[in-house]
Every structure is written in structure tokens, then in C-alpha cells.
């Protein structure tokens, strides 16, 4: 083999590698797209995944399958995606804020969210609702705090170390409230038990909680947003009720395994934004208290880092740790 031929082959190989992402993007997707929701059915992430699955399938020309993989506060499903083939066909749709909290809560994680996952886009924001069973004799945060000091109150949390749990801890510490946290394996069961009166207090995403408030099965005391939500404009924010500048909520977004070609991330970003902004999907989510919020990939990664630092400080102060 001559030197010239070696050089020619090396150059051809380099060109093939350089052109790989573009080639992938042109043929993407070439099989069904799988959306991994790392929580049980019925929660905010699940609602959004199922809302966008059909318009996304129509746009991509491939079936879009929603697969629930609950466990370990979303970490089992996230780990599955982090270790999946980085070809864009397996994506994670989860509460990005909750995922950012995990490194602070869990002493051992089988993956590093900051290194093993890449953001694609945010999809929606739904503030937390602080709600109680109708039998609870409190109509605002001040009354609930006073009641908590004389009555045993069980506070349902979607999982230990979840975003609603950490938000509840922040409210508790800011107000001097006293309640017992009861962990669940997802928001759906936490809401169900509070509706049944087995737990008395809950903080959960508005998207999954509002229908129970509207039906009278739960009583809302506050919204964890700096400004009131037009959909429930009569409900005061927690900031208005003394928890200064407080804001929390569920931030549903999509992530993929690190190493996924940039061209594929860009394609997914465009298609997901188109699906979530479609009139039918936007109207459905807005009617349930979720705001459509989209981001570019790098912007979502920056958001993730900021949330990790913000809630990590709360977790450290409250000494919330899990193996």
C-alpha cells in the first residue's frame, strides 16, 4: 500500500465521521420513537407525554410510544435513557427540576445527570398548588401553619427528594409549620390518597392537581408562583402569604443520552416545540394550568445547572439524604 493510498483512505474515513451527524439527521427517525416517563401514569409528565405523542408521530412519520418506567423518584427511567444508544430514538420526558435535585438527595446515583444527559427542550411549566383535604379547617397558609402546630397533619409527597417535597420543606422552614411527610412513588397516588383523606396536605403540580380542586375534592390554599395564575386568579400566591419571593413548580422537559449528535438534538428540538405549540395541545394544557415554555438545548442545560445549585442548598440545609 502506498503512502498516497493510506492518506486517501484516512481522508475518506475522516470525511465519513464528519458527515455522520448530518447523515443521521437526514434518515432520522428510522424506527419508532420511545418517550420514557420515569413516573407512574397520571402525573404531569405523563399527561404531557401523551398529549404530544400523536402530533409528534404525525410530524416524524413514525410511531411514538410512551413508556412509564417509575422508580427511585424518576432516577430508574432517567438511568435507562442515560445508558441508551445515543441515536435520538429514546428520550426522557420528566420534571427537569426534580432531576436536578437528585444529585443532592441521593448519595449514590448510577448516572450523573449533568454529564450523561443532554437537554433537548423544555415543554411546559406548572406551578405547585398547596392543597388540603376539604375537611382541613384552614382556608389560607397562615391558618394551615397555625393548625399544624395543634393537629397532626400528614403531607403527601410524590417521592422523597422530589421537587414538591423540597418545595414543601422550604415552605415549612419559612413559616414554622409542622407536618409529617408521607412519601409515595408518584404524584398520582399522592393526590389520590389526599383526595381520600388518608393524607391531609399536598404540594403538587397544578396540571395534575387542578381537576381535583375544580371538582371540590381538594381545597387549594396557595400557588407557588410569584404572580397569580389567571385560571385561578382568586387563589393567592404563597409569596403573597408571607413566603417572600417563593416560586416552585414542575418543569417538564425532554433530555437524551449524552453523545447524541447535535443535528439530531436540533431536529428533536424543532419537532417537540412544534408539537407542544400546536393549538390543540396548547389549549388543553393551558386549560389545566400549565404554561407552554420552550428552550433551546444549551438554554435548558443552563437552567438545569441553576436548579441544581438552587435546590441543592435547600436539600443540604434540611439534610435530606437517600442511598
Amino acid at each position: 500500500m502506498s503512502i498516497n493510498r493510506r492518506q486517501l483512505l484516512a481522508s475518506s474515513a475522516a470525511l465519513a465521521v464528519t458527515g455522520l451527524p448530518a447523515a443521521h439527521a437526514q434518515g432520522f427517525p428510522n424506527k419508532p420513537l420511545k418517550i420514557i416517563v420515569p413516573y407512574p401514569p397520571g402525573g404531569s409528565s405523563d399527561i404531557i407525554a401523551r398529549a404530544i405523542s400523536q402530533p409528534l408521530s404525525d410530524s416524524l412519520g413514525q410511531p411514538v410510544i410512551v413508556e412509564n418506567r417509575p422508580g427511585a423518584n424518576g432516577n430508574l427511567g432517567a438511568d435507562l435513557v442515560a445508558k441508551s444508544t445515543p441515536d435520538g430514538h429514546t428520550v426522557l420526558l420528566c420534571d427537569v427540576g426534580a432531576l436536578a435535585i437528585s444529585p443532592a438527595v441521593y448519595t449514590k446515583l448510577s448516572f450523573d445527570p449533568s454529564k450523561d444527559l443532554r437537554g433537548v427542550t423544555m415543554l411546559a411549566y406548572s406551578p405547585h398548588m398547596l392543597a388540603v383535604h376539604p375537611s382541613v379547617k384552614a382556608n389560607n397558609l397562615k391558618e394551615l401553619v397555625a393548625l399544624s402546630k395543634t393537629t397532626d397533619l400528614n403531607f403527601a409527597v410524590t417521592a422523597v427528594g422530589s421537587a414538591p417535597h423540597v418545595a414543601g420543606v422550604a415552605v415549612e422552614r419559612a413559616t414554622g409549620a409542622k407536618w409529617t411527610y408521607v412519601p409515595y412513588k408518584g404524584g398520582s397516588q399522592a393526590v389520590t390518597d389526599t383526595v381520600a383523606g388518608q393524607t391531609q396536605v399536598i404540594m403538587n403540580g397544578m396540571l395534575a392537581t387542578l381537576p381535583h380542586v375544580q371538582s371540590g375534592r381538594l381545597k387549594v390554599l396557595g400557588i407557588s408562583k410569584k404572580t397569580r395564575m389567571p385560571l385561578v386568579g382568586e387563589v393567592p400566591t404563597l409569596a403573597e402569604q408571607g413566603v417572600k419571593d417563593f416560586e416552585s413548580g414542575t418543569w417538564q422537559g425532554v433530555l437524551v443520552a449524552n453523545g447524541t449528535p447535535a443535528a439530531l438534538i436540533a431536529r428533536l428540538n424543532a419537532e417537540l416545540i412544534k408539537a407542544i405549540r400546536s393549538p390543540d395541545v396548547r389549549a388543553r394544557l393551558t386549560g389545566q394550568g400549565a404554561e407552554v415554555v420552550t428552550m433551546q438545548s444549551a438554554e435548558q442545560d443552563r437552567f438545569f445547572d441553576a436548579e441544581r445549585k438552587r435546590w441543592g442548598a435547600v436539600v443540604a440545609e434540611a439534610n435530606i439524604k437517600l442511598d
Side-chain angles (χ1 to χ4, degrees):
M1 181 184 289
S2 68
I3 295 295
N4 288 340
R5 187 156 183 254
R6 284 198 189 101
Q7 290 173 336
L8 179 63
L9 288 173
S11 298
S12 298
L15 284 170
V17 171
T18 303
L20 192 59
H24 274 318
Q26 287 175 1
F28 175 84
N30 55 26
K31 61 182 179 180
L33 187 78
K34 187 180 292 185
I35 299 178
I36 301 297
V37 175
Y39 316 112
S44 299
S45 296
D46 184 68
I47 291 169
I48 291 175
R50 295 184 189 281
I52 66 171
S53 60
Q54 191 55 54
L56 191 59
S57 175
D58 293 342
S59 182
L60 291 173
Q62 288 284 351
V64 174
I65 302 163
V66 178
E67 187 174 312
N68 297 88
R69 288 293 190 97
N73 192 22
N75 290 318
L76 292 184
D79 177 73
L80 184 154
V81 176
K83 294 175 180 174
S84 68
T85 303
D87 61 3
H89 288 92
T90 302
V91 307
L92 176 69
L93 198 163
C94 69
D95 182 342
V96 178
L99 184 65
I101 292 169
S102 289
V105 172
Y106 288 85
T107 56
K108 297 177 183 177
L109 272 181
S110 56
F111 69 104
D112 184 335
S114 296
K115 295 179 180 178
D116 299 333
L117 292 166
R118 285 277 72 81
V120 177
T121 182
M122 203 69 75
L123 295 173
Y125 164 71
S126 173
H128 289 136
M129 292 188 109
L130 176 64
V132 296
H133 186 267
S135 64
V136 174
K137 296 179 179 179
N139 295 306
N140 54 51
L141 179 59
K142 183 178 180 180
E143 291 178 1
L144 180 65
V145 171
L147 182 65
S148 74
K149 296 176 181 178
T150 61
T151 305
D152 291 336
L153 295 177
N154 288 326
F155 190 114
V157 294
T158 57
V160 174
S162 63
H165 179 199
V166 177
V169 169
V171 172
E172 179 188 18
R173 297 177 78 84
T175 62
K178 298 179 183 297
W179 39 56
T180 301
Y181 294 99
V182 179
Y184 288 86
K185 293 182 178 180
S188 180
Q189 190 58 50
V191 171
T192 298
D193 274 15
T194 309
V195 166
Q198 294 180 35
T199 48
Q200 293 75 48
V201 187
I202 188 169
M203 204 162 186
N204 196 44
M206 187 172 174
L207 183 60
T209 311
L210 182 60
H212 301 283
V213 171
Q214 292 173 327
S215 68
R217 290 177 291 182
L218 288 176
K219 178 170 56 174
V220 62
L221 304 187
I223 302 287
S224 66
K225 198 170 182 292
K226 290 182 181 178
T227 57
R228 294 194 184 197
M229 290 288 289
L231 193 61
V232 284
E234 75 283 1
V235 180
T237 68
L238 296 178
E240 285 180 79
Q241 298 183 72
V243 189
K244 187 178 179 182
D245 296 327
F246 185 75
E247 188 167 22
S248 66
T250 61
W251 292 87
Q252 265 65 44
V254 173
L255 304 97
V256 291
N258 193 17
T260 301
L264 296 190
I265 292 178
R267 174 78 190 281
L268 283 168
N269 175 277
E271 297 291 355
L272 285 161
I273 289 175
K274 184 166 71 173
I276 199 74
R277 288 181 180 174
S278 64
D280 288 349
V281 174
R282 185 191 286 269
R284 191 187 320 175
L285 296 180
T286 301
Q288 292 179 267
E291 300 175 10
V292 171
V293 178
T294 59
M295 297 180 183
Q296 295 303 305
S297 175
E299 186 181 4
Q300 184 179 334
D301 287 339
R302 289 193 295 271
F303 171 89
F304 183 92
D305 289 339
E307 287 291 280
R308 182 170 51 82
K309 293 171 184 174
R310 175 193 179 197
W311 293 112
V314 176
V315 169
E317 187 179 348
N319 194 29
I320 304 171
K321 286 292 179 184
L322 289 173
D323 292 329

